[in-house]
C-alpha cells in the first residue's frame, strides 16, 4: 500500500522525460512505473509535468542587513513564497556578526528556522572573519557536521576577505570536502567610482549600476578563478551577469579549473536602463552585481543554453520598497550607496525559466530540471536525497501546469516584500501542486501544508579533493 500515487503525469528528470506513475511510501519515492497501487491517496497529473521540487541554492532570509534595515522575509514568508514557486528546498546564508563564534551564529539561525519553514532548508555560511582557528579547526569541523558550503566576498568593506584568505578558504574546503562560492566584484574600483559619482552629484539609483561596472566583475572573476587554479580547488562563481565574466569561466575551464557558474533571473530580464527610466523608484532594482544591457542578457541566455551555467538561482534578497527599514531607509535618499542591496525573486525563478527558456525553445525540460533542482543538489551535497525523481529519493515533487497563462503581479505572490521587479510580465506555466517528502503542501494552487513541515537538511561533504 502506497501513501500517495501521482498518476498519469509526464515525469522529467535532468536525464529523461517519460510517462510514469510515482508511488510514495514514508516520504520517499518507492516505485516509478505503471499500474501501481493501491494507495491511500492519488493525484491525477494527466497533462502535467511531474518535476523534482525546485532547489534554490541562493536565497537570503532573515540576514542581518545593517543598522535600521530589516530583510523583508523571515523563514516563514521566504519559504512560503519559495513553495508557491515550486521549490521544496532553499539554501539561505548564515551571516555571523563580526567576531561572533560561527557555532553561535548557526545556533541562532537554526532557532529562526526551526518550526517556521514551508520548505526544507540547508545553510551556507558567509565567511567574513578568517582566523587561523577557523581554517585549522572550525571550518573542517563544520564541514564534517553538514555545513559544507561557504560564501566569500571580494567586495563590501564589512564582508570582503583578502586574496590570501580566499586561498586558505579554497584550500581548507578542498581538503575537507566543502564548497566555496565567491562574490566577484573589485571593491577598490567600486569605491573609487562611488566617490567620483557622488562628487559629481550622481546619487540616484541608476548610478548604482554605473559604479559597479562589468570590468569590476570581470577582474574579480578572473582573480577568483586564478586563486582556484593556483590552489587546485573547485569553485562556484555566483550571480554572473555578463559576457566578460562568462569568458573568464570558459577560459579557466579550458585550463582544467573545476568551476560551477550561476546566473539569476535579473540578468536575463532587467537592464541598467530600467533603473534610469525609474528615477528614484529604481531603488526597487538595486542589486549587486547590477543588471547590465541587452548584450549581457543574451550572453547569459547563451550560457544557460550551452552549459556554461550549472545553476539558475534567484538570489532572493528582499527589502520592502515603501518602508524606512527597506529601500526608503533615511540615508538611502542621500545616495544610491545607502540603498539596501537586493531584490525579491524566489517565487518567480522557475516560472520565468520555464516560460522564457523552455517554452521559447532555448532549453529542454531535462536542462530546466538540471538548472533548477538537480545541479543544486549535486553542488551542495544534497544529491541524490534531493534534486531528482528516483527510487529512494525524498518525494519532493512539483506538478507543473504547462498551459496556465497569467500576468505577474505582486498581489498574487506570497513573499513579504511589497513589490516584484517583474510586475506586468506575461508568463506561461506554473506549479500547481507541490509535495514535500510525501506531504502535499500546495494543492491546485492552495496552501494546505503547515509552517514547520519544512526541516533543516545537513549536506554531505564531497570526497576530499
Ligand atoms: N550578493 C548577493 O549574493 N546577494 C545580494 C547582494 C549581494 O551583494
Ligand atoms: Zn553576492
Ligand atoms: Zn545573494
Amino acid at each position: 500500500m502506497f501513501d500517495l500515487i501521482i498518476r498519469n503525469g509526464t515525469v522529467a528528470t535532468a536525464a529523461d522525460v517519460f510517462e510514469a506513475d510515482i508511488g510514495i511510501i514514508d516520504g520517499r519515492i518507492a516505485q516509478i512505473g505503471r499500474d501501481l497501487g493501491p494507495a491511500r491517496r492519488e493525484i491525477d497529473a494527466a497533462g502535467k509535468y511531474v518535476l523534482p521540487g525546485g532547489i534554490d541554492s541562493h536565497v537570503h532570509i532573515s540576514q542581518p542587513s545593517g543598522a535600521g534595515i530589516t530583510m523583508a522575509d523571515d523563514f516563514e514568508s521566504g519559504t512560503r513564497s519559495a513553495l508557491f514557486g515550486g521549490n521544496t528546498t532553499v539554501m539561505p546564508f548564515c551571516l555571523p556578526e563580526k567576531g561572533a563564534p560561527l557555532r553561535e551564529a548557526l545556533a541562532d539561525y537554526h532557532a529562526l528556522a526551526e518550526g517556521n519553514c514551508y520548505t526544507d532548508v540547508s545553510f551556507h555560511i558567509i565567511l567574513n572573519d578568517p582566523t587561523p582557528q577557523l581554517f585549522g579547526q572550525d571550518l573542517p569541523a563544520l564541514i564534517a557536521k553538514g555545513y559544507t558550503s561557504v560564501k566569500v566576498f571580494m567586495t563590501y568593506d564589512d564582508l570582503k576577505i583578502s586574496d590570501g584568505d580566499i586561498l586558505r578558504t579554497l584550500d581548507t574546503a578542498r581538503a575537507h570536502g566543502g564548497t566555496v562560492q565567491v562574490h566577484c566584484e573589485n571593491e577598490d574600483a567600486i569605491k573609487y567610482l562611488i566617490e567620483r559619482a557622488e562628487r559629481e552629484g550622481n546619487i540616484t539609483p541608476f548610478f548604482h549600476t554605473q559604479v559597479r561596472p562589468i570590468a569590476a566583475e570581470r577582474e574579480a572573476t578572473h582573480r577568483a578563478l586564478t586563486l582556484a587554479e593556483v590552489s587546485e580547488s573547485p569553485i562556484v562563481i555566483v550571480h554572473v551577469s555578463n559576457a566578460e565574466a562568462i569568458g573568464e569561466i570558459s577560459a579557466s575551464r579550458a585550463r582544467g579549473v573545476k568551476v560551477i557558474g550561476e546566473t539569476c533571473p535579473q540578468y536575463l530580464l532587467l537592464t541598467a536602463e530600467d533603473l534610469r527610466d525609474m528615477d528614484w523608484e529604481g531603488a526597487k532594482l538595486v542589486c549587486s552585481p547590477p543588471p547590465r544591457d541587452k548584450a549581457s542578457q543574451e550572453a547569459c541566455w547563451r550560457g544557460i543554453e550551452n552549459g556554461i551555467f550549472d545553476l539558475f538561482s534567484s538570489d532572493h534578497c528582499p527589502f520592502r520598497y515603501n518602508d524606512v527599514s527597506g529601500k526608503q531607509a533615511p540615508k538611502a535618499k542621500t545616495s544610491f550607496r545607502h540603498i539596501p542591496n537586493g531584490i525579491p525573486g524566489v517565487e518567480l525563478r522557475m516560472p520565468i525559466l520555464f516560460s522564457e527558456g523552455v517554452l521559447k525553445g532555448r532549453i529542454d525540460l531535462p536542462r530546466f530540471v538540471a538548472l533548477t533542482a538537480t545541479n543544486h543538489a549535486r553542488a551542495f551535497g544534497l544529491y541524490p536525497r534531493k534534486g531528482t525523481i528516483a527510487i529512494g529519493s525524498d518525494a519532493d515533487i512539483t506538478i507543473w501546469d504547462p498551459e496556465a497563462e497569467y500576468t505577474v503581479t505582486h498581489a498574487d505572490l506570497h513573499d513579504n516584500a511589497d513589490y516584484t521587479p517583474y510586475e506586468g510580465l506575461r508568463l506561461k506555466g506554473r506549479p500547481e501542486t507541490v509535495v514535500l517528502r510525501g506531504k502535499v503542501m500546495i494543492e491546485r494552487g492552495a496552501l494546505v501544508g503547515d509552517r514547520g513541515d519544512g526541516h533543516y537538511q545537513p549536506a554531505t561533504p564531497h570526497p576530499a579533493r
Side-chain angles (χ1 to χ4, degrees), residues 58 60 63 93 151 153 155-156 159 183 185 212 238-239 262 287-289 315-317 319 341-343:
H58 189 157
H60 301 266
Q63 191 175 303
F93 295 80
K151 180 176 179 188
F153 286 78
T155 182
Y156 304 126
L159 294 177
H183 179 129
E185 288 184 291
R212 307 187 84 95
V238 291
H239 45 49
E262 176 201 72
C287 62
S288 298
D315 197 0
H316 181 77
C317 187
F319 296 96
N341 211 317
I343 62 176

Side-chain angles (χ1 to χ4, degrees), residues 169-192:
T169 307
L170 287 162
D171 195 61
T172 308
R174 173 180 42 70
H176 296 273
T179 304
V180 181
Q181 305 167 73
V182 189
H183 179 129
C184 301
E185 288 184 291
N186 180 314
E187 175 66 13
D188 283 348
I190 291 166
K191 210 176 286 163
Y192 158 79

Side-chain angles (χ1 to χ4, degrees), residues 58-336:
H58 189 157
V59 303
H60 301 266
I61 291 174
S62 286
Q63 191 175 303
S65 304
I69 306 294
T70 307
M71 198 158 267
D73 280 320
D74 57 14
F75 278 92
E76 179 182 357
S77 61
T79 59
R80 182 181 63 213
S81 182
L83 185 74
F84 273 98
N87 301 284
T88 50
T89 302
V90 297
M91 301 186 72
F93 295 80
C94 173
L95 171 60
E97 307 279 3
K98 202 130 190 174
L102 272 179
R103 275 168 219 288
E104 250 169 55
L106 279 165
D108 292 348
Y109 210 47
H110 273 288
L112 294 176
E114 189 62 38
N116 288 318
C117 293
Y118 287 99
T119 65
D120 283 349
V121 294
S122 190
F123 298 163
H124 311 292
I125 299 172
I126 293 177
L127 204 157
N128 60 345
D129 196 12
T131 59
Q133 160 88 18
L134 175 82
F135 296 122
Q137 284 94 46
D138 297 351
L139 187 53
L142 287 168
I143 292 171
K145 279 181 117 176
Y147 304 98
T148 65
S149 151
V150 298
K151 180 176 179 188
V152 297
F153 286 78
M154 301 171 89
T155 182
Y156 304 126
D157 270 338
D158 50 341
L159 294 177
K160 85 184 261 264
I161 65 173
S162 69
D163 290 359
D165 284 327
I166 294 176
L167 280 166
R168 283 179 271 279
T169 307
L170 287 162
D171 195 61
T172 308
R174 173 180 42 70
H176 296 273
T179 304
V180 181
Q181 305 167 73
V182 189
H183 179 129
C184 301
E185 288 184 291
N186 180 314
E187 175 66 13
D188 283 348
I190 291 166
K191 210 176 286 163
Y192 158 79
L193 289 173
I194 289 175
E195 285 165 9
R196 195 177 75 181
E198 287 181 344
R199 257 197 326 272
E200 292 169 356
N202 295 326
I203 57 167
T204 58
F206 168 71
F207 290 96
H208 169 82
T209 69
Q210 303 302 294
V211 303
R212 307 187 84 95
I214 287 173
E217 183 183 341
R218 181 199 64 225
E219 183 281 328
T221 304
H222 179 86
R223 188 155 33 100
L225 290 165
T226 303
L227 300 176
E229 187 176 334
V230 166
S231 64
E232 299 179 52
S233 305
I235 190 169
V236 180
I237 307 293
V238 291
H239 45 49
V240 175
S241 73
N242 68 87
E244 295 184 21
I246 288 172
E248 297 294 342
I249 292 175
S250 330
S252 67
R253 261 193 198 150
R255 290 193 293 271
V257 181
K258 291 194 172 56
V259 49
I260 288 176
E262 176 201 72
T263 195
C264 314
Q266 51 269 37
Y267 307 117
L268 304 179
L269 297 185
L270 306 178
T271 65
E273 287 306 308
D274 296 335
L275 280 89
R276 194 203 295 272
D277 294 345
M278 290 163 79
D279 196 26
W280 279 98
E281 210 180 328
K284 287 179 173 176
L285 306 187
V286 165
C287 62
S288 298
R292 307 292 187 186
D293 53 17
K294 289 281 174 200
S296 300
Q297 290 182 349
E298 270 318 302
C300 289
W301 272 118
R302 272 199 303 285
I304 281 183
E305 290 161 19
N306 67 18
I308 277 284
F309 295 122
D310 291 301
L311 304 174
F312 186 68
S313 309
S314 66
D315 197 0
H316 181 77
C317 187
F319 296 96
R320 292 172 64 83
Y321 176 67
N322 278 308
D323 196 321
V324 290
S325 70
K327 300 282 189 181
Q328 307 290 341
K331 277 174 87 178
K333 282 282 175 202
T334 67
S335 165
F336 60 84

